[in-house]
Amino acid sequence: MVQKYQSPVRVYKHPFELIMAAYERRFPTCPLIPMFVDSDTVNEFRSEDGAIHVIERRCKLDIDAPRLLKKIAGVDYVYFIQKNSLNSRERTLHIEAHNETFSSRVVIREHCCYSVHPENEDWTCFEQSASLDIKSFFGFESTVEKIAMKQYTSNIKKGKEIIEYYLRQLEEEGITFVPRWTPPAVAPSSETSSSCKKQAAALALAVPDPALREGLGSEPLSNPGGAPEPAVGTPDDKLDADYIKRYLGDLTPLQESCLIRLRQWLQETHKGKIPKDEHILRFLRARDFNIDKARETMCQSLTWRKQHQVDYILDTWNPPQVLQDYYAGGWHHHDKDGRPLYVLRLGQMDTKGLVRALGEEALLRYVLSINEEGLRRCEENTKVFGRPISSWTCLVDLEGLNMRHLWRPGVKALLRIIEVVEANYPETLGRLLILRAPRVFPVLWTLVSPFIDDNTRRKFLIYAGNDYQGPGGLLDYIDREIIPDFLSGECMCEVPEGGLVPKSLYRTAEELENEDLKLWTETIYQSASVFKGAPHEILIQIVDASSVITWDFDVCKGDIVFNIYHSKRSPQPPKKDSLGAHSITSPGGNNVQLIDRVWQLGRDYSMVESPLICKEGESVQGSHVTRWPGFYILQWKFHSMPACAATSLPRVDDVLASLQVSSHKCKVMYYTEVIGSEDFRCGLPSHSWATTGPTGGSMTSLESSHSGFSQLSAATTSSSQSHSSSMISRWRFC
């Protein structure tokens, strides 16, 4: 098991040469690092012009470990080999270290780099990464791992303090400037120059490429060798330690590492809009910084956001007038911590009337818009107050709550809303103040609390009657001048008072069902589950030859094989019985099988496209120009990965595969459309484009002049498969 760490970029607002002078004072020993006992120089090289200086040291460490463990291991000290490669011409220092003691049982590797800040040549950047691979250690592997991670994170925290300590020491000695390296005035002889060039060439192989680094942290990833991996992006893509502290808060070194690695993973795999750092951090906090769990839930949320177009809800959706008049909730200033404050007068709200007048979907969409507005307000308050604000406070007034609020459809709608918000807006609720809770409240709490995360429940403060006015009450969290007037405060609150929704606004069950369906299908996409031995299939009837079938789907979970078949006769509709062989009911989506088991390929139906294997996290767009009328079947089938193929997958695919080990269920989100040939232009030079993907191939666009589907298409980096009558493109999604 490999434990890994990756630091953010730490910036010293001092020139590189001064930082190097401070760094060299750490040797041969450093009193600020008690475990660093001593070091000896074992090898040293300096180029003739003085630009290159490589020094190798053997460092002696006194690890803070139980005496019994040291006795069993038979050592009192642990030795490391550290190689420092200073390039004064390029103004970089690369540090590589590995353990010498127990190297056959434990493999520890570290890589650090000091370099000039890309935007200010008088500042210095520092990055650090490390890996720990404990193969065996006398049965104490877990103990050694904990000790090693504790010692390492402790030293990381001290790293910047130590440099700043020696900078102050230099200043006290009157050293505030160290000149940059300059070439020697006299050129060396040709013989010497030739020798230096050979040495420099050999040295270039030994000095690590600054573009290489290890994506390392406290959770294991699928790179057991701990070998360096290529970095992604430019310095602008990297997180600065000062930025983290200013906008994200105080994080431990391992928490910073988790954030950086998850962010880097998204940059590699997600070709859409990258979530903001605050949002990534929320998912990590919600899963106690377990990267695998945070990655899985965040990918599901990104798929959900795309499916329901949540990113555009504030710009494209206007709440119905009924909600604006009778939904007793709204934003009201901020609490003492600077968090946005949302006030909800639940006791004055006619939940039954709102559900009967609007349906669940409109209520859910309104709550989503409130949460999106909350995220926006958090960003604004972070700028206003000059400190990280990533959550809001909710004040819920329950005066007026009674048994009518326990109407079953209303409670059902509330539970659904809670489920959606918990899954997609983790760690956004900073505090929930529940005021004037009546006697009926425990009944509602019993129904609702099982659906609320434990971490969220700990943020609830419940006050009965007028208890909120006493010590430990509202004034501890909200300034007196902004306490709403309906709570005996002095501030006018513009939140609607609610009240009963007129029954004349109620909808019939049929109207609500149609409205809910309309709201749901506005998302374009549908979800389906694919099981081992049970593919999902959809039927498309084509009347006119040369029509175009278009599709756009995301593989949300598992690996699938996508096929397209043609048949002259229509397959039998799936059985309604959920226990039947042709239909499987799944909470995660439908599963429909249309191809009868007695049908034979080549006799009853034929394949019109080569099978396409799609990996988890991929998005696929494509189209097929039909040659014959009849019935076309689009099929998503479970793909079983051969056991031997796991070791040859790219690193990111390994990570994706690890999320669905031992799973026999896949999930896809898809959209299809049939376009008439007269509305379709194919391959014309004036209406075509091409992109080149990792395979070096290209694809030609097929454009629709009248179809909304064309708006879903985008030029992306892709690997592609094309043939005379079809186009398929893919890109990484989550």
Side-chain angles (χ1 to χ4, degrees), residues 71 114 140 173 243 381 471 603 725:
K71 188 173 181 180
Y114 287 91
F140 291 91
E173 298 173 6
Y243 161 82
N381 285 18
R603 185 191 69 183
S725 64

Side-chain angles (χ1 to χ4, degrees), residues 387-680:
R387 61 178 182 270
I389 295 172
S390 60
S391 60
W392 52 83
T393 292
C394 186
L395 187 156
V396 180
D397 179 26
L398 295 184
E399 185 182 50
L401 189 77
N402 55 44
M403 293 302 294
R404 68 184 170 86
H405 289 90
L406 301 181
W407 180 58
R408 182 166 179 171
V411 174
K412 177 185 173 185
L414 177 61
L415 296 179
R416 183 187 175 199
I417 289 171
I418 290 174
E419 183 180 9
V420 171
V421 171
E422 282 280 306
N424 298 285
Y425 299 92
E427 296 297 314
T428 53
L429 182 64
R431 185 180 293 116
L432 180 65
L433 303 170
I434 299 177
L435 310 184
R436 303 196 281 193
R439 291 184 178 181
V440 73
F441 174 71
V443 180
L444 180 62
W445 179 251
T446 302
L447 294 172
V448 171
S449 60
F451 295 87
I452 301 174
D453 180 75
D454 289 340
N455 291 333
T456 303
R457 271 187 283 180
R458 285 194 283 269
K459 302 171 184 176
F460 284 31
L461 295 172
I462 303 173
Y463 301 90
N466 292 324
D467 291 348
Y468 69 92
Q469 297 177 345
L474 207 55
L475 284 174
D476 284 9
Y477 307 102
I478 300 175
D479 291 326
R480 184 182 299 275
E481 57 268 21
I482 65 169
I483 292 180
D485 53 344
F486 63 84
L487 293 174
S488 304
E490 302 175 357
C491 186
M492 290 296 296
C493 184
E494 298 180 359
V495 172
E497 294 183 0
L500 294 176
V501 177
K503 291 188 177 180
S504 59
L505 299 177
Y506 284 13
R507 308 277 189 93
T508 64
E510 291 77 14
E511 287 175 330
L512 286 176
E513 183 178 356
N514 292 336
E515 182 69 13
D516 281 354
L517 181 62
K518 178 177 179 289
L519 287 166
W520 185 262
T521 54
E522 281 179 356
T523 63
I524 300 177
Y525 296 88
Q526 299 183 55
S527 295
S529 296
V530 179
F531 301 88
K532 192 171 185 178
H536 177 69
E537 297 162 344
I538 61 173
L539 182 66
I540 298 176
Q541 184 175 3
I542 297 297
V543 177
D544 299 323
S546 299
S547 296
V548 182
I549 302 172
T550 59
W551 59 82
D552 177 9
F553 65 86
D554 296 319
V555 186
C556 305
K557 180 180 180 183
D559 299 344
I560 59 101
V561 180
F562 178 65
N563 291 302
I564 306 177
Y565 300 101
H566 173 263
S567 176
K568 294 181 179 179
R569 59 189 176 112
S570 173
Q572 294 296 318
K575 297 179 180 179
K576 297 296 183 181
D577 181 7
S578 62
L579 299 178
H582 295 279
S583 178
I584 297 178
T585 302
S586 167
N590 296 321
N591 177 274
V592 177
Q593 298 164 60
L594 299 171
I595 298 177
D596 199 293
R597 293 181 179 178
V598 300
W599 278 22
Q600 293 184 10
L601 184 63
R603 185 191 69 183
D604 302 289
Y605 66 108
S606 59
M607 182 180 292
V608 296
E609 289 278 0
S610 300
L612 179 67
I613 298 175
C614 307
K615 300 292 185 180
E616 178 175 324
E618 288 184 345
S619 290
V620 179
Q621 284 185 339
S623 54
H624 174 81
V625 181
T626 62
R627 297 181 179 178
W628 315 280
F631 300 91
Y632 287 78
I633 299 171
L634 273 58
Q635 180 193 74
W636 292 268
K637 185 171 65 174
F638 184 94
H639 174 63
S640 298
M641 184 176 61
C644 61
T647 57
S648 61
L649 284 174
R651 180 173 62 88
V652 175
D653 285 346
D654 281 342
V655 176
L656 290 167
S658 69
L659 297 179
Q660 43 118 5
V661 173
S662 302
S663 174
H664 297 289
K665 176 183 174 182
C666 302
K667 186 176 179 181
V668 294
M669 185 181 77
Y670 67 91
Y671 168 77
T672 62
E673 183 180 5
V674 177
I675 302 171
S677 58
E678 67 275 11
D679 295 332
F680 211 84

